[in-house]
Structures are given as C-alpha cells and as structure tokens.
Amino acid sequence: MTRPNPRQSAALSAALSGAVDLSGLKAKADAASRQPAPSAAPAGGGEQPAGDFVFAVTEASFQTDVVERSMQVPVVVDLWAEWCGPCKQLSPVLERLAQAAGGAWVLATVDVDANPRIAQLFGVQSIPTIVAIAGGQPIDAFAGALPEPEIRKWLDSLLDALRDKLPGIRLAEQGAAGAEPYEEPEDPRFTAAEDAFERGDYAAAEAAYQEILDAEPANADAKAALAQVRFTARAEAADPSSVAVADSDPDNVDAQLTAADAQIAANQVEAAFTRLVDTVRRTFGDDRNRVRQHLVGLFELFPTDDPRVAAARRNLASALF
C-alpha cells in the first residue's frame, strides 16, 4: 500500500482517542478460549519473534495479551499483512526497539488478514497501522512506515506521558538499569558490507548497502553508511592539490566537487559547504543540479541537527530560489 498522508495519521490518532471499545473482543475471546487455540500468526511477515516483549496476537488472545497487559505497560499494536511491503520495512524496526526497551513497552503484532475483526475494531484503512494501547484504551496511533528516528521520538513521548500512570514502565526501566545492555544480533547484510569497506572494496560495500536500501528504503543506518562509502571512495581518489585547482578555476564544476570532498576529509566542513553553495549560485541547469545533489549527499555524512548542516541548507535554499 502507499504510505498515507501525515494528516491521515493525525486523523486516525484523533479518531481512536476514547472512541474504541476494546472490550468488544472479550466475548469472542472467552468463547475461543474454550476451544483449541489456533496457531500463532508470524510477526511482521516473517518468523515468530522470540522473547517476552514481541508476540503475535489473535482475536482469541487480544483481551489478555493487549488489553489486560496494557494496565501495566503500553502495548504497541502493529497491524500488518504478508503482502504489505511497507509492513516488512517497519515491523523489524519495531521488534528491535521493543527488545531494546526491555519491557518498558511491548509489541503485539496482528495479521489483519487472519484477524479481520481486530482491524475492523480500529477502523484500519491502510497498513501498516500502529496503535498504542494504555490502561485498556487506545491513546495514540500512526499509519505508514515512518523513519526509525521518528518512531523512537514517538515511543519516548509515550513513555514520558505514561511513566507515572503505568507501574510496569519504571519497574522495567529499573531492571534494565542493572542488567546487561541488550545487544542486537548482527545483521549479516551489514557485516558483509562492513567487511568490504574495511578491505577497501568500496564498490562491493556500496552495492551491499544499496541492496539493503532497495529492500528497506527507510533504513537510516544503511542510508548513512552508503553516503559514507561513496564519500570515502571519492576522497581517497582526490588529488591533494584539488583545492588549489578549484580556487584557480571557479567555473570548473568537477574541480569544485572534488575540492569540497577534500575539505570535508580535512574537517573544513563549513568551507566545503560554502564552496558548493557559491557554485550553485554560479551555475544553471544540469551543472547546478549536479552540485546540489553532491552537497545534499555531503549533508548525509552528518547528524541532521548539526548546526553547520542547518546553516548550509538555508544557504542552499536561498541560492536556489
């Protein structure tokens, strides 16, 4: 499915607030509990995740696993389907974050094809849809495969709002403080890419990171690593005299791009950004677009809140418009 407009996510969250009666599944769950339980659906379009913090939920188990458990900690419900591409991007991120949270919140995965009543309960119109349940009631939601930093921010805001209301949050956090840090299992795709990078095979590393992004376009780690690989390959191939060459020939676009890479490698970040912004102002058409794309690629080497990046983005917008 296509990713919904952010306004749709906001509308979904507002509509859920106080408007969904989760006890509607209780009678069905009680009836089902007197019959052999169906096998659990796999989470996120893959294998059933291990551990207490991520679990698949059916209509029969919803009351116990979601509603009752939400009296202690927030339960984040991931509504997904096997055929949904964005679900396969989002679900592994949520599973990773839930394991790392150590029980301060838990993840309940719902296959909407196998459990249509749950999807109907929330009025789901597109997937993935993520709903936070606390105290037996839905309190917030979003739709679409958001980037991981946005998901982390959303989860942090939930915990901050609920920490004094749900006793299990502090207990889990206190337990995690004295426990060994949770270590995510190594992703073999990243291991292969990192090995290629370390041996200087930048083409293989770039191909490996690009393959991850083709499968998971929202994977921020792969995106940042790909930018680093491309930059390192260019910087190592750059002529040490490239800055002087560019300064002597301001209209040589290739020289300006190479010089900017050399300056970034020498930690002359502001000078590199200024060089390319000035080049954008002097160029037109395809040349201008090349310089803009190169500069945006350099931005990806730094945190999004780096003040040097923020200033250069403003200057670039001014140069373009």
Side-chain angles (χ1 to χ4, degrees):
M1 285 204 176
T2 57
R3 177 175 169 179
N5 187 290
R7 293 182 180 177
Q8 181 179 349
S9 297
L12 170 63
S13 180
L16 284 173
S17 180
V20 178
D21 181 11
L22 296 178
S23 64
L25 290 176
K26 188 175 188 306
K28 187 177 179 73
D30 290 342
S33 68
R34 294 191 289 270
Q35 302 175 5
S39 58
E47 296 181 355
Q48 168 69 15
D52 295 331
F53 311 136
V54 182
F55 46 90
V57 170
T58 65
E59 293 170 1
S61 65
F62 191 91
Q63 175 70 23
T64 300
D65 286 347
V66 175
V67 178
E68 294 178 9
R69 195 161 185 171
S70 75
M71 301 298 177
Q72 296 296 318
V73 296
V75 179
V76 174
V77 180
D78 175 12
L79 296 131
W80 66 279
E82 178 64 36
W83 45 264
C84 169
C87 297
K88 295 178 181 180
Q89 300 167 24
L90 178 62
S91 294
V93 174
L94 291 170
E95 291 168 14
R96 226 175 32 244
L97 295 176
Q99 295 289 5
W105 63 275
V106 295
L107 178 67
T109 66
V110 177
D111 181 345
V112 297
D113 288 337
N115 301 278
R117 188 176 171 88
I118 298 178
Q120 293 168 8
L121 175 74
F122 292 115
V124 172
Q125 297 181 354
S126 65
I127 55 173
T129 288
I130 309 300
V131 183
I133 310 294
Q137 288 294 322
I139 60 169
D140 204 357
F142 68 84
L146 298 182
E148 184 170 333
E150 292 185 35
I151 297 172
R152 288 179 180 273
K153 185 181 296 185
W154 182 74
L155 291 167
D156 288 344
S157 69
L158 285 178
L159 294 179
D160 290 343
L162 297 168
R163 192 170 281 110
D164 294 331
K165 298 179 177 65
L166 298 181
I169 296 176
R170 288 192 186 277
L171 288 175
E173 291 174 338
Q174 290 167 359
E180 291 293 324
Y182 172 76
E183 294 186 5
E184 296 178 9
E186 290 188 4
D187 187 326
R189 301 172 303 168
F190 278 89
T191 301
E194 290 160 5
D195 288 345
F197 181 79
E198 289 176 3
R199 65 176 182 266
D201 189 348
Y202 300 131
E206 179 176 348
Y209 285 124
Q210 186 61 60
E211 185 176 354
I212 296 172
L213 282 172
D214 289 342
E216 302 174 23
N219 193 312
D221 291 338
K223 184 177 181 180
L226 180 60
Q228 185 64 55
V229 168
R230 288 173 172 169
F231 168 75
T232 302
R234 295 197 311 266
E236 287 194 3
D239 189 323
S241 64
S242 58
V243 173
V245 170
D247 289 344
S248 66
D249 189 0
D251 294 328
N252 186 331
V253 171
D254 289 332
Q256 301 307 319
L257 302 182
T258 302
D261 286 344
Q263 288 178 308
I264 292 290
N267 202 29
Q268 298 170 3
V269 177
E270 284 130 324
F273 289 167
T274 298
R275 176 184 296 279
L276 294 187
V277 169
D278 289 345
T279 305
V280 166
R281 289 193 173 98
R282 293 193 302 267
T283 53
F284 302 92
D286 291 342
D287 282 343
R288 170 178 278 200
N289 193 47
R290 282 181 60 211
V291 178
R292 180 192 62 80
Q293 290 179 337
H294 195 96
L295 179 54
V296 170
L298 293 180
F299 290 160
E300 293 175 355
L301 300 173
F302 302 90
T304 55
D305 59 352
D306 189 309
R308 298 169 299 184
V309 172
R313 285 189 185 278
R314 290 193 298 269
N315 293 336
L316 175 59
S318 175
L320 288 170
F321 305 108

